[in-house]
Amino acid sequence: MTKWPAIIKYRGESELTYIDSGSEWDCDADLHFFRYDSADQLIDSEGNIFSLVDMTDNFVKPRAINCSVSKETMQDLIRAHFSSIGECCVSKFSIGSIAEGITTVGQFEES
């Protein structure tokens, strides 16, 4: 089961997509509009990784792949994300937890 909020990490891209809740995932047609690459991943607030290739009736169902990211890896992903969107001083950025890091991505998207 996905622990929201979560992010999507696209293969070969530094930018991340923030998803606030299961309701947003279910209702945002843009998240289900195209087929995801087999290397695209949804990463939840506990660091669990989900595949995004299972599509039924134009709806993508995240599938747990029994892997997770560490807090350090998540921090590196978020630093790369912030750098790609032009934020400065990303080398000083740190997170206390994976959930905190994902929430921070969401806060930047809102501003």
Side-chain angles (χ1 to χ4, degrees):
M1 177 182 275
T2 307
K3 303 295 183 191
W4 304 99
I7 57 168
I8 297 175
K9 167 67 176 106
Y10 300 98
R11 182 185 88 178
E13 300 290 328
S14 295
E15 286 191 48
L16 304 171
T17 298
Y18 175 81
I19 301 132
D20 182 58
S21 64
S23 295
E24 180 180 355
W25 177 260
D26 291 341
C27 296
D28 188 339
D30 290 340
L31 295 172
H32 306 277
F33 182 69
F34 61 93
R35 291 208 177 267
Y36 290 93
D37 185 88
S38 62
D40 294 341
Q41 303 171 328
L42 181 109
I43 304 171
D44 76 5
S45 291
E46 292 181 347
N48 299 310
I49 300 173
F50 297 80
S51 168
L52 296 172
V53 296
D54 293 344
M55 181 180 266
T56 304
D57 297 326
N58 295 321
F59 183 82
V60 177
K61 181 171 175 52
R63 180 178 41 84
I65 60 170
N66 298 319
C67 291
S68 61
V69 297
S70 66
K71 182 180 84 168
E72 293 74 21
T73 298
M74 179 60 74
Q75 183 170 282
D76 291 343
L77 290 173
I78 295 169
R79 282 179 178 165
H81 169 72
F82 287 150
S83 180
S84 73
I85 61 172
E87 292 297 321
C88 66
C89 305
V90 295
S91 64
K92 297 178 183 179
F93 176 78
S94 64
I95 58 175
S97 68
I98 291 170
E100 177 188 327
I102 290 174
T103 299
T104 302
V105 171
Q107 290 169 342
F108 269 81
E109 281 191 5
E110 291 174 1
S111 58

